[in-house]
Amino acid sequence: MSIDPVVVVHGGAWAIPDEMAEAHLNGVRNAMAAGWQALHRGGSALDAVEEAVVVMEDDETFDAGRGSFLNREGKVQLDALIMEGATLRAGGVGCVEHLRNPVRAARKILSESPHVYFVGEGAERLAAEHGLPLCKNEDLIIPREVARLREFQAHAAEQKPDLFAPAVSHDTVGAVALDRNGDIAAATSTGGTLNKAPGRLGDSSLIGCGCYADNKTAAASTTGWGEPIMKLVLAKWAADRVASGNLPEWAAAEAINYLKARVNGHGGMILLDARGRLGIAHNTPRMAWALKTVKEESSGINRNG
Ligand code: ASP
């Protein structure tokens, strides 16, 4: 029996300013279209989430790939995870500095390696051995981010940074998909948080925190300040609630409520089960999202449910 496919993507949850809304909307729509095309060509859910995330890594609007936030030493350090719901195969990279598309490296790890997670130079070496081009770190840095870091550091002493405030930008990207075989997958990619310490990993690339996929539960991708999210293993938390019989719509909203209630976190989540039921939730003023099913194509910068 052929299942109706679904693609859902997000491009970060925060108080996206009006002047940046269109760029975010275009970015998530392009990503959704790329994911849908992959499915249309007969690709798997895994192919769909990879292609969707690559589009957003290549789009400087987002905190993923080129154009990411800089760490406190002025470097880009990227994290990504991809996971397949049918087999629980997963591939993750952390703190990579020379890859334009870390999700492609994550996919290579998933399909070519007996291991699940690689960091730094080892991850880059594995990617290069499997044909992915390495770039200079400077190739990932854009002037907007140099200025943003300079501004942040100039005011760091006088600011009392509220690390959990929704005004802090979070442009991490993610995708979940369901293919015609009834398999689901998820991927998340990020440059992490502005001015982060070198070597810091957030939730995004950690299994069950920023990304998770299991056909028996659900596929999830999160965004928001990573430290609170990872403490709650939030993606797995939400997926498990779907397995206990809750609608993804409800489980996503509950997960975000739990994030706020338990650790005062702000963020967002997309959640999809193998029956094609989905949830999109955030407690930030806005979150860029787009989705496509056989019956519906929609996108926005605000949605709960
Ligand atoms: N969750 C990401 C991190 O903490 C940031 C984000 O979602 O924008 O690395």
Side-chain angles (χ1 to χ4, degrees):
M1 191 182 76
S2 175
I3 310 281
D4 285 346
V6 180
V7 175
V8 188
V9 307
H10 73 78
W14 59 293
I16 303 167
D18 287 345
E19 64 277 14
M20 294 169 74
E22 204 48 44
H24 281 75
L25 277 171
N26 283 336
V28 290
R29 285 178 192 140
N30 291 338
M32 173 266 284
W36 190 260
Q37 273 163 25
L39 292 176
H40 193 69
R41 288 193 301 265
S44 63
L46 202 58
D47 296 325
V49 295
E50 179 181 355
E51 295 312 320
V53 165
V54 162
V55 165
M56 293 186 281
E57 287 177 337
D58 288 344
D59 183 336
E60 292 173 12
T61 304
F62 300 107
D63 177 30
R66 183 175 148 84
S68 287
F69 291 156
L70 302 182
N71 70 12
R72 71 174 183 219
E73 291 178 349
K75 277 189 160 186
V76 167
Q77 277 194 333
L78 303 170
D79 312 326
L81 186 88
I82 189 166
M83 186 160 180
E84 181 178 60
T87 60
L88 301 187
R89 288 190 305 167
V93 295
C95 297
V96 293
E97 298 182 355
H98 303 101
L99 289 166
R100 282 180 182 271
N101 295 113
V103 75
R104 293 242 191 262
R107 175 74 190 262
K108 293 286 183 199
I109 291 166
L110 180 152
S111 52
E112 310 292 338
S113 170
H115 306 305
V116 168
Y117 203 98
F118 284 75
V119 296
E121 206 201 311
E124 290 165 357
R125 201 181 310 154
L126 181 136
E129 281 165 11
H130 289 91
L132 296 182
L134 298 185
C135 65
K136 295 197 190 101
N137 196 254
E138 300 87 83
D139 296 339
L140 303 173
I141 298 174
I142 62 171
R144 179 192 70 206
E145 295 306 322
V146 175
R148 196 202 298 266
L149 181 68
R150 212 171 275 155
E151 165 80 8
F152 182 91
Q153 291 184 337
H155 295 100
E158 73 215 37
Q159 279 166 5
K160 201 168 124 286
D162 178 359
L163 299 186
F164 306 113
V168 177
S169 48
H170 286 291
D171 288 317
T172 288
V173 306
V176 291
L178 167 66
D179 63 30
R180 291 199 183 277
N181 291 329
D183 293 327
I184 52 176
T188 307
S189 181
T190 189
T193 49
L194 177 62
N195 199 46
K196 66 185 179 182
R200 175 264 187 194
L201 261 181
D203 62 306
S204 306
S205 65
L206 297 179
I207 287 194
C209 299
C211 185
Y212 195 70
D214 181 352
N215 279 6
K216 295 190 188 303
T217 62
S221 174
T222 69
T223 172
W225 204 272
E227 279 72 6
I229 294 173
M230 69 173 101
K231 287 172 190 167
L232 299 180
V233 197
L234 199 63
K236 176 83 161 60
W237 189 96
D240 285 348
R241 254 136 205 90
V242 176
S244 335
N246 295 301
L247 284 171
E249 181 183 333
W250 184 89
E254 271 306 290
I256 298 304
N257 288 342
Y258 177 46
L259 177 66
K260 180 77 177 81
R262 186 69 183 93
V263 286
N264 194 27
H266 288 91
M269 172 181 288
I270 55 176
L271 190 63
L272 173 70
D273 74 4
R275 291 162 65 181
R277 303 177 306 176
L278 62 98
I280 301 175
H282 56 103
N283 63 0
T284 46
R286 288 175 165 173
M287 177 169 90
W289 61 271
L291 71 87
K292 189 161 167 68
T293 70
V294 172
K295 297 196 190 85
E296 179 190 355
E297 180 175 323
S298 52
S299 57
I301 47 168
N302 197 318
R303 167 160 168 156
N304 277 294

